[in-house]
Amino acid sequence: MNINEFDYDLNQDLIAQTPLSDRSASKLMIVKRDSMDLEHKHFKDIVDYLHKGDVLVLNDTKVIPARLIGEKEDTKAHIELLLLKDLGSDTWECLAKPQKRLHMGTIVSFGEGKLKAQVLEILDEGIVHVKLLYVGILLEILDELGTMPLPPYIHEQLKDQDRYQTVYAKNAGSAAAPTAGLHFTKELLKKLEDKGVIVKYVTLHVGLGTFRPVMEENVLDHKMHTEFYIMNKDTADALNLAKEEGRRIIAVGTTSCRTLETVAHNNNGKFVACSGNTSIFIYPGYEFKGINGLITNFHLPKSTLVMLVSAFASKDIIMHAYSEAQRLGYRFFSFGDAMFIC
């Protein structure tokens, strides 16, 4: 499978730089898994496409202000760290810029020493492992010293930090937002619940690998990033009952999808309360065991996310949908519009 099969030309003007003031006013494309026919709605119309008894699964991860600008204690050289993954015991996997200025044992200071990072290990592609040194509560320190780590294709300043956070964000730990969920408002979720849609949550902490294009020519040579997930018993029980009764399971975002598919594949199609790291790689030919529908944004060319949605519908249907989205002026990527694949 060649990576160029998942490439497409994108008009750069269609990359959304700022979020809409009304989350649910985004465009919504309805994509059928067995048809080239498309419908064009607004996100608030999702109420008409979800049915009583459907289980809607959202990722309740919370983005932390993970971007830190500091300086080396010895030379005062400026260093940027992006906290990607909590490895436990205050050890973090980070993206460092410029990595070449760091060595084993280097200490980087932030906020006049309120937070320090000591380099423990230097890996490939700008990745380092650091030990964070501080007094107090880390999340409070990050709120003071850090900034929201927007994707590299967004060049505008974000005026309201909460707009890169879902309204149901709860469990802190992500370096990026689960962006399909950004379209939901509390009012919209209440409308869905009033209709009889069952809303449940999983947690998957989103890392940088989500945004990285696949560099290998052969898709199967790509090494997938790992991300930490949690599924609780309440969600697992609701999902198992829905499967038994033939009701739909709708994942909100590729992160929820990857969590559900990981758990279902690890447990012969069943859902269980569990947590762990997933590096599941979903591409055409994959057999879905967990979901019947997917709400998602429009993704980067050559990304693993384009492969995932191409596996759920088909590559031809997805490329047709992307082409029509451009023709009709849909907004792409994190702050862009959405599609419901059903």
Side-chain angles (χ1 to χ4, degrees):
M1 211 179 312
N2 191 288
I3 186 57
N4 293 317
E5 295 178 43
F6 302 94
D7 195 11
Y8 66 93
D9 292 324
L10 176 64
N11 178 350
Q12 299 296 298
D13 292 340
L14 295 178
I15 300 175
Q17 293 297 318
T18 55
L20 299 181
S21 56
D22 177 0
R23 291 173 182 261
S24 63
S26 300
K27 291 180 182 177
L28 176 68
M29 181 185 288
I30 308 299
V31 180
K32 304 284 175 48
R33 296 175 71 189
D34 58 357
S35 170
M36 288 287 186
D37 294 336
L38 306 170
E39 294 180 58
H40 304 285
K41 302 290 183 178
H42 287 93
F43 196 82
K44 59 189 67 174
D45 299 322
I46 194 70
V47 176
D48 299 329
Y49 292 87
L50 297 181
H51 314 314
K52 181 178 180 180
D54 285 346
V55 182
L56 187 71
V57 184
L58 305 115
N59 180 6
D60 66 4
T61 189
K62 188 173 186 178
V63 186
I64 60 175
R67 183 171 177 259
L68 294 161
I69 308 292
E71 59 182 28
K72 289 173 63 177
E73 280 200 336
D74 51 1
T75 66
K76 306 304 180 186
H78 281 240
I79 300 291
E80 177 181 330
L81 287 186
L82 177 60
L83 305 182
L84 297 178
K85 187 186 296 184
D86 183 357
L87 302 176
S89 302
D90 286 324
T91 301
W92 283 75
E93 180 177 284
C94 306
L95 180 67
K97 295 180 184 177
Q99 186 194 48
K100 63 185 179 182
R101 290 189 174 174
L102 299 180
H103 308 283
M104 296 281 287
T106 296
I107 293 179
V108 183
S109 179
F110 308 94
E112 298 179 343
K114 285 185 180 177
L115 176 66
K116 296 182 180 183
Q118 182 175 23
V119 177
L120 301 178
E121 192 173 0
I122 297 175
L123 305 170
D124 296 331
E125 298 181 324
I127 301 297
V128 297
H129 289 174
V130 303
K131 175 83 170 180
L132 296 183
L133 310 169
Y134 58 92
V135 176
I137 299 171
L138 179 59
L139 286 177
E140 290 181 359
I141 295 170
L142 291 178
D143 280 338
E144 179 185 349
L145 303 180
T147 58
M148 207 61 91
L150 293 178
Y153 47 75
I154 293 178
H155 308 298
E156 297 281 335
Q157 288 288 325
L158 183 60
K159 294 175 182 176
D160 178 4
Q161 299 294 310
D162 285 341
R163 281 302 277 111
Y164 194 57
Q165 207 80 265
T166 62
V167 298
Y168 47 81
K170 179 181 176 184
N171 293 315
S174 274
T179 54
L182 295 178
H183 304 284
F184 286 92
T185 63
K186 289 180 179 178
E187 294 76 18
L188 186 55
L189 287 169
K190 186 176 187 307
K191 274 188 182 179
L192 289 168
E193 290 182 314
D194 288 346
K195 186 175 181 177
V197 175
I198 300 161
V199 178
K200 295 295 176 184
Y201 297 91
V202 294
T203 302
L204 183 136
H205 292 320
V206 188
L208 189 68
T210 296
F211 299 108
R212 283 190 161 158
V214 176
M215 304 307 291
E216 289 80 4
E217 188 171 327
N218 183 347
V219 167
L220 303 184
D221 291 336
H222 175 65
K223 185 183 178 191
M224 197 67 178
H225 57 286
T226 63
E227 292 167 319
F228 180 75
Y229 70 89
I230 303 169
M231 177 177 287
N232 62 37
K233 186 176 185 301
D234 177 59
T235 295
D237 289 347
L239 294 171
N240 285 327
L241 185 59
K243 285 194 82 169
E244 288 170 19
E245 296 180 351
R247 293 183 278 113
R248 295 190 304 176
I249 296 170
I250 314 294
V252 176
T254 55
T255 60
S256 297
C257 170
R258 293 179 69 238
T259 303
L260 294 176
E261 290 300 320
T262 294
V263 177
H265 268 261
N266 288 347
N267 297 281
N268 297 314
K270 296 287 187 182
F271 296 100
V272 299
C274 58
S275 64
N277 289 301
T278 180
S279 57
I280 191 170
F281 186 10
I282 297 175
Y283 50 83
Y286 175 88
E287 181 186 343
F288 284 82
K289 292 184 183 295
I291 70 169
N292 310 107
L294 176 63
I295 296 169
T296 187
N297 282 15
F298 292 85
H299 303 295
L300 279 71
K302 297 185 178 181
S303 66
T304 59
L305 305 185
V306 165
M307 295 176 206
L308 186 154
V309 294
S310 296
F312 190 60
S314 76
K315 186 163 66 70
D316 288 344
I317 288 174
I318 292 299
M319 289 304 166
H320 170 62
Y322 274 45
S323 176
E324 281 296 283
Q326 290 204 66
R327 187 179 69 82
L328 296 171
Y330 276 67
R331 288 153 45 95
F332 278 61
F333 306 164
S334 295
F335 288 138
D337 297 314
M339 61 166 58
F340 176 31
I341 310 174
C342 54

